[in-house]
Amino acid sequence: MGAKKNLLLISNSRAYGRDYLDHCAEAVSAFLAGINQVLFIPYALKDWDDYAEKARKRLNGLGVELVSIHEAADHPILAVSSADAIFVGGGNTFRLLEAVHAHGLTHLIRERVSSGMLYMGSSAGSNLACPTICTTNDMPIRHVSTFEALKLVPFQINPHFVDADPNSRHMGETRETRIKEFHEENVTPVIGLREGSWLRVEGDKVSLRGDGGAKIFLRGQEPFELGSGNEFSADLELLKQPEASQ
Amino acid sequence: MGAKKNLLLISNSRAYGRDYLDHCAEAVSAFLAGINQVLFIPYALKDWDDYAEKARKRLNGLGVELVSIHEAADHPILAVSSADAIFVGGGNTFRLLEAVHAHGLTHLIRERVSSGMLYMGSSAGSNLACPTICTTNDMPIRHVSTFEALKLVPFQINPHFVDADPNSRHMGETRETRIKEFHEENVTPVIGLREGSWLRVEGDKVSLRGDGGAKIFLRGQEPFELGSGNEFSADLELLKQPEASQ
């Protein structure tokens, strides 16, 4: 990964009983320190105006301006070219990927992130940062010609990861079974990012933050737990454990 | 739909605390009455041998022979051409659709079902009978060049449909929200088929059976509940209510 790479990849934009981006507000503030204006990508939801308004209010509350790509004076290509930071909001990952491809933004975002443009994503926006969208939880409501995504990180994220409920009588596949099926067909490691968790990517270093923890799935191995504060390399090799557990 | 069309579309192959196909065994037996041999399509799971063995044992128990398409003496095309009944098992819908397309079976199955070949599907196998796989719950572990499926019925099924849990603190989309997102992009009606339910399709007539009921989603309308025993036309117009509720 590029040495200048700087990402904040959030599992969920809203925690139970809290308002939009409240549970991670401190992390968002710290991430965007020194940035005056963020370019918002609302494509994952249907109503872009409404979504941009919600995101704008929230970021304004943190002292950051927000312009949505669909209302920018510049063409989307120019808007991304000159942005210091982009925020890709959650919603439906298929719809999001289709729009990003259709607007010709895929390679451009990748290049700009390599050159230091900040990338913040939540839920579908975190899926988009991965090699493919193959570990999304979303319904395939739009066909896309490829599942290949931005490849900003070399691992897959499964946002809103949930453990199987031992009391459930529902017989649909558990999330863990679905990720196991993914590994029957693919080799890329998967981070099951629980709600309340996020990843900070700085160059080749990735840290797990927040309070949900994560479950790590490597093909052909038993999945294992990772707690907040752990630091690992982009290929998921553990670099540093949090001080409390050292 | 063809006048000879004869389908059994099951939400879930296994009910909580029961064995494979036990909760719907009577319906399966009645559906396959007079059929000696069923052709099994195991493509939705990775291990075809294992899957075929499980399905064979269960159907043998109901007095029906089973040959899996991957172990048939004939080429898959010939096997489908001469089958009296096929059973498409559940698993991952993307993997299933890819294999059905790759084996060149899509149009053939459609034609054979129009001519009276019985079609039984559970879970992913029920998704496959719909116009597209766009209302599957599965993870997109394999890319497919189209989401178009067998189009044996003119509506979409969402198998394993679950109502939102009012006590849940999970913030991922509810099933109902996902289907609403589907209708932001598509017009086809959706039957949210709860576990324990199945559909019997005979010509242009569809009946809801089993004990789970279903929730019906029409674009731009409030979803409504449908109980077991209701009979409707293929375009979801209600034809007959069960006697108890008349």
Side-chain angles (χ1 to χ4, degrees):
Chain A
M1 300 197 290
K4 292 181 174 172
K5 209 165 271 192
N6 211 343
L7 294 88
L8 177 64
L9 303 175
I10 303 167
S11 175
N12 54 312
S13 63
R14 193 188 284 270
Y16 179 78
R18 304 191 67 174
D19 283 333
Y20 186 61
L21 293 179
D22 270 7
H23 71 289
C24 53
E26 226 172 282
V28 171
S29 267
F31 181 68
L32 296 176
I35 297 288
N36 292 320
Q37 193 181 74
V38 166
L39 183 67
F40 183 59
I41 314 286
Y43 298 150
L45 288 188
K46 188 72 176 173
D47 186 337
W48 297 350
D49 288 341
D50 185 68
Y51 200 9
E53 200 43 41
K54 181 170 114 173
R56 184 175 0 257
K57 273 191 189 150
R58 190 63 191 90
L59 286 203
N60 285 174
L62 301 176
V64 181
E65 264 183 65
L66 181 144
V67 172
S68 182
I69 194 166
H70 78 287
E71 60 193 16
D74 286 335
H75 185 278
I77 296 273
L78 294 177
V80 171
S81 298
S82 61
D84 295 319
I86 66 171
F87 170 29
V88 183
N92 185 284
T93 312
F94 295 86
R95 181 157 55 192
L96 170 62
L97 183 67
E98 184 188 36
V100 167
H101 284 324
H103 287 92
L105 300 176
T106 315
H107 295 282
L108 179 61
I109 295 176
R110 206 177 289 152
E111 279 169 27
R112 295 279 296 119
V113 169
S114 289
S115 312
M117 178 181 75
L118 303 189
Y119 182 101
M120 174 170 139
S122 74
S123 194
S126 294
N127 280 128
L128 191 75
C130 299
T132 70
I133 63 160
C134 292
T135 51
T136 178
N137 307 308
D138 295 337
M139 209 171 247
I141 61 171
R142 298 283 301 177
H143 184 261
V144 280
S145 57
T146 173
F147 288 162
E148 290 188 25
L150 295 179
K151 304 181 204 285
L152 306 181
V153 290
F155 48 80
Q156 293 288 129
I157 293 171
N158 177 249
H160 302 275
F161 178 78
V162 280
D163 300 283
D165 172 2
N167 297 314
S168 171
R169 295 180 162 229
H170 186 69
M171 299 301 288
E173 287 87 346
T174 64
R175 192 68 61 81
E176 189 155 337
T177 300
R178 296 185 190 286
I179 295 173
K180 197 178 155 200
E181 282 184 353
F182 169 81
H183 276 146
E184 286 173 351
E185 304 287 340
N186 304 274
V187 299
T188 315
V190 179
I191 301 183
L193 199 58
R194 288 200 192 82
E195 295 191 348
S197 293
W198 55 88
L199 300 174
R200 269 292 276 123
V201 181
E202 295 164 274
D204 287 333
K205 201 187 69 186
V206 184
S207 331
L208 176 63
R209 309 274 175 83
D211 60 12
K215 200 157 189 173
I216 309 296
F217 299 83
L218 304 177
R219 189 183 189 171
Q221 296 183 32
E222 278 300 299
F224 60 92
E225 196 62 33
L226 203 68
S228 186
N230 275 295
E231 207 174 287
F232 44 97
S233 66
D235 57 1
L236 299 193
E237 198 179 324
L238 197 64
L239 296 176
K240 206 168 94 184
Q241 288 187 303
E243 294 197 5
S245 66
Q246 273 176 335
Chain B
M1 298 198 289
K4 292 181 175 173
K5 208 164 270 191
N6 212 342
L7 294 87
L8 177 64
L9 303 174
I10 303 167
S11 175
N12 53 311
S13 62
R14 192 186 286 270
Y16 179 77
R18 304 191 67 174
D19 282 333
Y20 186 59
L21 292 179
D22 270 6
H23 70 291
C24 53
E26 225 171 285
V28 171
S29 267
F31 181 67
L32 296 176
I35 297 288
N36 291 321
Q37 192 181 75
V38 166
L39 183 68
F40 183 60
I41 314 286
Y43 298 152
L45 288 189
K46 188 72 177 173
D47 187 337
W48 297 350
D49 288 340
D50 185 68
Y51 201 8
E53 200 42 41
K54 180 170 113 172
R56 185 178 355 260
K57 271 191 191 153
R58 190 62 192 91
L59 286 203
N60 286 174
L62 301 176
V64 181
E65 265 184 62
L66 181 144
V67 172
S68 183
I69 194 165
H70 78 287
E71 60 193 16
D74 287 334
H75 186 277
I77 295 274
L78 293 177
V80 171
S81 298
S82 61
D84 294 321
I86 65 172
F87 170 29
V88 183
N92 185 283
T93 312
F94 294 86
R95 181 158 54 193
L96 171 62
L97 183 67
E98 184 188 37
V100 167
H101 284 324
H103 287 92
L105 300 177
T106 315
H107 295 281
L108 178 62
I109 295 177
R110 204 177 289 152
E111 279 169 27
R112 295 281 296 119
V113 169
S114 290
S115 313
M117 179 182 75
L118 303 189
Y119 182 101
M120 175 169 136
S122 74
S123 196
S126 294
N127 279 129
L128 191 74
C130 298
T132 70
I133 63 159
C134 291
T135 51
T136 178
N137 306 309
D138 295 338
M139 209 171 248
I141 61 172
R142 298 283 301 177
H143 184 261
V144 280
S145 57
T146 173
F147 288 162
E148 290 189 25
L150 294 179
K151 303 182 204 289
L152 306 181
V153 291
F155 49 80
Q156 294 286 131
I157 292 170
N158 177 249
H160 301 276
F161 178 79
V162 280
D163 300 283
D165 173 0
N167 297 316
S168 171
R169 295 179 163 230
H170 186 70
M171 298 302 287
E173 287 87 347
T174 64
R175 193 67 62 81
E176 190 156 335
T177 300
R178 297 186 190 284
I179 295 173
K180 197 179 155 200
E181 282 183 353
F182 169 80
H183 275 146
E184 287 173 350
E185 304 288 340
N186 303 274
V187 299
T188 315
V190 179
I191 300 183
L193 200 59
R194 288 200 192 82
E195 294 191 348
S197 294
W198 54 89
L199 299 174
R200 269 292 277 122
V201 181
E202 295 164 276
D204 288 333
K205 202 186 68 186
V206 185
S207 329
L208 176 62
R209 308 274 176 82
D211 60 12
K215 201 158 188 173
I216 309 295
F217 299 83
L218 305 176
R219 187 182 190 173
Q221 295 182 33
E222 278 299 300
F224 59 91
E225 196 60 34
L226 202 68
S228 185
N230 276 295
E231 206 176 286
F232 45 95
S233 64
D235 56 2
L236 297 194
E237 198 179 323
L238 197 65
L239 295 177
K240 208 168 95 183
Q241 290 187 302
E243 293 194 7
S245 65
Q246 272 176 336

